[in-house]
Amino acid sequence: MRHALPKAALFALSALAAGTASALAQEPGVIAAPPPVDIFLEVTTGPNGEPVLSEDEFELVTGGYYRFNFVCPDAVDDATGFHFEAEELLANSHLRVVSVNDIEIYMQGMSFRAIECDEQGAARFSFHPMRSGVYDIYVRDHSDPAQEVFGRFVVE
């Protein structure tokens, strides 16, 4: 019994150290603790009015904790905005929080389909990808016919 306390203390310190390390790096298959890793997708307007993505691929790990920021600096009105979808990623993730400006929506067990910016601004959502795979990103403008661009999330 004399060794129970030192072993318990050593175990607690090891667990604390492991928790600190996991916050710094995402590990596949491990549900990460806050804070989320911020990733950004800025959509701007190209020379012919087409949407242009700042990144076209995001590499994520299963169980990692991410906050996806969809940023639309060029949107002015309904005619110049952008529409974002990543339906399969959303269907294979645990959604945590969706926020627009200072409004936060906690998503326990819920889902959403798309984000649209009709004015300059940003929206974001935090999530844990739960299944590995390659998931499409679809962005279009509001023209008729719509101009489209694609990217992808790669979850390992």
Side-chain angles (χ1 to χ4, degrees), residues 75-82 116-119 141-143:
V76 177
D77 55 29
D78 290 347
T80 61
F82 300 103
E116 210 166 86
C117 346
D118 293 333
E119 294 181 2
D141 66 6
H142 295 318
S143 64

Side-chain angles (χ1 to χ4, degrees), residues 1-154:
M1 199 66 173
R2 287 178 38 200
H3 300 288
L5 184 57
K7 286 181 182 177
L10 182 58
F11 178 77
L13 289 173
S14 297
L16 180 62
T20 303
S22 70
L24 300 175
Q26 304 286 341
E27 296 179 45
V30 176
I31 301 297
V37 173
D38 276 299
I39 53 179
F40 292 85
L41 176 63
E42 183 175 280
V43 182
T44 55
T45 306
N48 297 317
E50 76 280 6
V52 176
L53 305 180
S54 61
E55 301 282 333
D56 62 2
E57 184 172 294
F58 298 93
E59 294 183 10
L60 312 175
V61 297
T62 305
Y65 188 28
Y66 302 96
R67 182 170 41 227
F68 182 79
N69 297 270
F70 181 60
V71 183
C72 305
D74 293 349
V76 177
D77 55 29
D78 290 347
T80 61
F82 300 103
H83 179 94
F84 162 86
E85 292 181 19
E87 289 188 59
E88 289 194 16
L89 175 73
L90 294 171
N92 289 288
S93 296
H94 172 70
L95 297 171
R96 304 261 310 174
V97 181
V98 173
S99 56
V100 179
N101 298 324
D102 291 330
I103 299 171
E104 295 180 346
I105 304 162
Y106 291 81
M107 302 294 293
Q108 188 66 36
M110 302 171 83
S111 186
F112 68 95
R113 191 179 74 77
I115 297 174
E116 210 166 86
C117 346
D118 293 333
E119 294 181 2
Q120 185 178 34
R124 62 188 187 180
F125 61 91
S126 61
F127 66 103
H128 296 280
M130 301 307 289
R131 290 190 183 99
S132 60
V134 177
Y135 303 106
D136 290 334
I137 296 171
Y138 169 68
V139 176
R140 64 173 167 79
D141 66 6
H142 295 318
S143 64
D144 187 19
Q147 297 183 83
E148 306 170 321
V149 65
F150 297 89
R152 66 188 193 161
F153 290 100
V154 178

